[in-house]
Amino acid sequence: MAAPGATSIDTAAAHIAGATALADWLVIAPVALPILGGALLLMVRHRTRVHAVLAFLFLFASFLSSAFLLARVVSEGPLVMTMGRWLPPFGITFNADVLGATFATAATFVATVAAVFALRDINVTGRRYGFYSFLLLMVAGVDGAFLTGDIFNLYVWFEVFVISSFGLLVLGSERRQIDGATKYAVLNLVATTVFLITTGMLYGTFGTLNMADIARKAEGLRETGPLMTIATLYLLAFGMKAAAFPLNYWLPASYHTPRIVTSALFGGLLTKVGIYALLRTMMTLFPVEREVLSGLIGWIAVATMLLGILGALAQSDVRRIIGFVVISGIGVMLSGLALGTPLGVTGTILYAVHSILVMTALYLLAGLMHEAGGSYSLHETAGLYRSHPLLAAMALLLVLAAAGLPPLSGLWPKVMLVKASIESGAWWLASAILVSSILTVIALGRVFALSFWRMDAGETVERTDAERAISPGAGYGVLAALIVPAIAIGVYPEPFLRLAAAAAAGLADPASYLDAVFPPGGGS
Amino acid sequence: MRTVIFRTTAPYLTSLMVLFSVFVLLRGHNEPGGGFIGGLIAASAFAIYGIACGVAPVRRALYFHPMGLAGFGLFLSAMSGFVSLAKGVPFLTGIWTSVNLFGVSLDLSTILFFDIGVYFVVVGSITSIALALEERERD
């Protein structure tokens, strides 16, 4: 151990001068709090009674800190903290702008709500196997990906949430879960490996991993460096994570196998991290390369949204249908990225927030339908409208939301994306969005018609767990907590539109993002 | 594997390796070593003990569940980052202090506690994997 006085190297020049205000810790809190909570839960893993309470407290605290972070970022611009006081680009920077903070707030909100739903879905065995620890660590990974300003650190957070998601997937160790988890694990590891290799190439070209530094240096390297290759490889890696066609086959193979609350979290959060990473790399780091790739991204978007929703039409398992609806939504989000105009990117961001809320709610709805009707299959459930009218009302709202019909949150982002496509002359993109919306109405309307409206299923299912539906009130409350913000976005969209527009503006013109990391006139 | 020679030497080997792992952990600040490699050495010590004498004695000797140890390590590492909150510097900044213990001045830092946390994470996770594999073999 070296004494501090004995080291003759003066590191003051490499350090950030000045104190860090307490409020700056907001940028790290949404990541650090879930990690602390996950570690604490591992230590008390045998006391399963306290798990849910502790997990809820930590998740709610990280939701509050993300919300405060968002409020601060909106009013004062991007918030930066560089770990260990080293000057960027050497220290690892956390850099929250409106986009990252918005996504982090939505993600932690959904995770908090899902933790409440897990009370009824995860039994004591699941808790002992560490459901809540995995949940907290996954949230830490997702938040870290949204808030970090360093591309290698982004890779690390991808690994954190992917590994936690493996744990969540196999919880229960059923045969089909292992089957789904193997496909999920292998294909996700391929994607993260491509991500890692590309990041290696990027480091070889730029000599830096700090995203603001990369964006700053990209202009000078465009003539000599293989930036086009790097951007294309990132499109491949993140497209695979986001489940974009033709690399989306892992999602329908695995998302219907775990516990329903796990499916809900995956459908709500994980693919959106891929979309976030695509937005960040394509819009902030490689805008010129995105321009070149925009035609390709556009066709990927069309194929993803149409083939995804066609897949949903062919299924009869509610969870599989929702899995394909998630994929179709990814296509809609990619269309905004393909356009690259402020309006298009605003639509993508708002659609991502809508998708985080509504896809989670759809999976939870499937769980409640399973409790009410005894089966996930459309052939076996019927008459839920008569026995569970409240559930039917919520289901109808969610169908409207997912299809992009008023008065729910899906409408505005789709309107913006269609308008942006027409403005850019991409009529094919606009018509694909509209066609996919109609098909979504059909696919989810089919669920509603068969499970809720139909009076009698041809084949009745043996109800072995008829009395299992303990306190349906809690499940309805959780679903309502997700639907209310979706209605709010639909009915009173002004503040949300402004937020998404601010996020898109920060992406398109990263000057304030760069200035936050490298203050003008200061240091490097 | 459970020969008399192995079973007799394993406890000594294990205690020596655990001692050495602590040494490696502490010297790791400025020289080769550190929490990760120290943790690996300790985990292999427990694995050897498990191969020689069975899994149950290892679990008894560890007292805490290995996953609990890993959780403690993660908690310690994360908390060592929060010390900088009191000093008004960014997360994970190294903070040094000197403690006078029986006339010897001992330098302590948050980096040391971070590394001890890493040590526990590695010991806990690798040991629980190793013990689970050894248990499966016996069934």
Side-chain angles (χ1 to χ4, degrees):
Chain A
M1 307 283 301
T7 50
S8 54
I9 307 159
D10 182 25
T11 55
H15 276 158
I16 297 163
T20 309
L22 196 61
D24 285 1
W25 281 71
L26 278 176
V27 72
I28 194 81
V31 185
L33 286 174
I35 290 184
L36 274 181
L40 210 60
L41 284 179
L42 272 180
M43 285 156 75
V44 295
R45 65 198 284 271
H46 290 292
R47 268 175 252 158
T48 48
R49 280 158 187 270
V50 300
H51 279 194
V53 180
L54 271 178
F56 179 78
L57 286 178
F58 275 100
L59 283 173
F60 192 64
S62 34
F63 166 61
L64 283 183
S65 54
S66 320
F68 284 128
L69 175 67
L70 178 60
R72 200 192 129 119
V73 166
V74 167
S75 61
E76 289 173 38
L79 184 58
V80 173
M81 184 193 252
T82 303
M83 301 303 123
R85 229 166 113 216
W86 300 105
L87 276 175
F90 303 107
I92 289 173
T93 305
F94 262 55
N95 187 352
D97 63 349
V98 180
L99 176 69
T102 308
F103 278 23
T105 309
T108 43
F109 173 71
V110 163
T112 314
V113 173
V116 178
F117 193 87
L119 275 178
R120 49 195 284 122
D121 199 35
I122 304 293
N123 55 16
V124 174
T125 324
R127 289 183 202 176
R128 270 184 83 113
Y129 273 105
F131 171 80
Y132 282 110
S133 315
F134 284 131
L135 170 63
L136 281 162
L137 292 175
M138 192 182 90
V139 170
V142 169
D143 276 353
F146 287 151
L147 297 177
T148 188
D150 184 287
I151 199 138
F152 186 77
N153 200 234
L154 180 68
Y155 166 75
V156 173
W157 293 120
F158 264 76
E159 287 286 6
V160 168
F161 78 71
V162 164
I163 289 172
S164 320
S165 67
F166 294 164
L168 288 173
L169 258 180
V170 296
L171 206 75
S173 307
E174 288 167 33
R175 193 177 193 77
R176 58 192 190 90
Q177 287 184 329
I178 309 280
D179 177 66
T182 313
K183 291 166 186 158
Y184 176 84
V186 170
L187 292 166
N188 270 283
L189 285 179
V190 169
T192 38
T193 310
V194 173
F195 181 8
L196 183 62
I197 291 170
T198 317
T199 306
M201 254 178 95
L202 180 138
Y203 187 62
T205 310
F206 284 86
T208 180
L209 293 165
N210 188 301
M211 290 203 231
D213 207 21
I214 295 168
R216 210 168 49 156
K217 286 182 176 159
E219 207 44 61
L221 282 163
R222 203 147 265 139
E223 297 298 315
T224 51
L227 300 200
M228 197 63 219
T229 316
I230 294 172
T232 315
L233 282 171
Y234 273 137
L235 177 65
L236 174 71
F238 296 139
M240 195 160 177
K241 299 293 301 187
F245 180 82
L247 300 168
N248 55 3
Y249 37 80
W250 56 269
L251 194 148
S254 59
Y255 270 27
H256 64 288
T257 57
R259 310 303 306 233
I260 200 71
V261 65
T262 310
S263 300
L265 282 166
F266 284 15
L269 302 183
L270 298 192
T271 46
K272 258 56 83 183
V273 186
I275 289 290
Y276 167 81
L278 273 176
L279 284 173
R280 180 65 79 209
T281 47
M282 293 292 151
M283 299 298 296
T284 308
L285 304 189
F286 304 114
V288 178
E289 285 73 16
R290 190 210 60 79
E291 201 69 47
V292 179
L293 286 170
S294 64
L296 176 67
I297 301 174
W299 284 111
I300 292 175
V302 170
T304 310
M305 64 179 104
L306 290 182
L307 293 172
I309 203 65
L310 287 177
L313 284 170
Q315 297 296 327
S316 63
D317 184 315
V318 183
R319 294 168 299 175
R320 281 178 177 265
I321 293 176
I322 301 169
F324 280 106
V325 172
V326 170
I327 293 178
S328 170
I330 293 298
V332 177
M333 284 178 249
L334 285 176
S335 65
L337 182 68
L339 295 168
T341 56
L343 188 63
V345 177
T346 308
T348 294
I349 293 165
L350 194 59
Y351 195 88
V353 172
H354 146 82
S355 173
I356 289 176
L357 291 169
V358 171
M359 294 307 149
T360 311
L362 274 176
Y363 273 110
L364 296 183
L365 171 75
L368 290 174
M369 278 166 64
H370 177 73
E371 275 180 23
S375 170
Y376 284 116
S377 168
L378 288 184
H379 302 310
E380 292 169 354
T381 50
L384 293 183
Y385 181 71
R386 204 163 39 177
S387 56
H388 298 78
L390 193 58
L391 190 64
M394 288 186 180
L396 186 63
L397 283 175
L398 285 173
V399 169
L400 293 178
L405 292 172
L408 276 107
S409 54
L411 172 71
W412 301 110
K414 277 192 179 167
V415 167
M416 291 162 87
L417 284 169
V418 169
K419 192 166 168 241
S421 320
I422 293 171
E423 274 174 7
S424 314
W427 54 268
W428 45 276
L429 202 53
S431 39
I433 295 172
L434 293 175
V435 169
S436 82
S437 299
I438 294 167
L439 292 178
T440 313
V441 177
I442 298 173
L444 289 173
R446 185 165 148 258
V447 175
F448 191 76
L450 290 181
S451 297
F452 287 92
W453 270 351
R454 187 169 52 159
M455 278 307 165
D456 190 27
E459 41 202 304
T460 46
V461 63
E462 199 68 15
R463 288 295 304 276
T464 47
D465 52 350
E467 296 307 310
R468 231 197 71 214
I470 28 144
S471 75
Y476 288 0
V478 165
L479 210 51
L482 290 170
I483 292 175
V484 166
I487 295 179
I489 296 176
V491 175
Y492 187 59
E494 280 305 316
F496 301 98
L497 287 178
R498 242 181 290 132
L499 200 63
L507 270 177
D509 176 30
S512 67
Y513 186 78
L514 301 194
D515 286 348
V517 182
F518 302 104
S524 52
Chain B
M1 288 296 275
R2 302 179 99 176
T3 60
V4 179
I5 300 174
F6 189 36
R7 256 186 318 185
T8 319
T9 49
Y12 299 104
L13 202 58
T14 301
S15 36
L16 270 177
M17 282 172 81
V18 171
L19 201 65
F20 182 63
S21 77
V22 175
F23 167 72
V24 168
L25 161 70
L26 292 179
R27 94 197 269 268
H29 187 69
N30 280 332
E31 281 167 283
F36 190 82
I37 184 70
L40 282 181
I41 294 170
S44 38
F46 296 127
I48 285 177
Y49 193 42
I51 292 167
C53 307
V55 171
V58 184
R59 292 204 189 276
R60 260 204 311 280
L62 277 174
Y63 187 75
F64 294 108
H65 192 281
M67 283 315 289
L69 289 181
F72 170 72
L74 186 57
F75 189 76
L76 190 66
S77 287
M79 283 314 282
S80 74
F82 275 98
V83 176
S84 35
L85 185 63
K87 287 267 183 178
V89 284
F91 193 61
L92 286 174
T93 304
I95 292 162
W96 288 84
T97 182
S98 200
V99 182
N100 223 328
L101 213 61
F102 309 116
V104 182
S105 118
L106 185 65
D107 296 312
L108 291 176
S109 66
T110 54
I111 303 147
L112 175 68
F113 285 99
F114 186 87
D115 223 17
I116 294 173
V118 172
Y119 176 88
F120 275 108
V121 170
V122 175
V123 171
S125 46
I126 305 284
T127 307
S128 62
I129 293 170
L131 293 186
L133 289 176
E134 282 167 18
E135 243 163 13
R136 198 58 52 82
E137 219 168 61
R138 293 264 146 68
D139 286 343

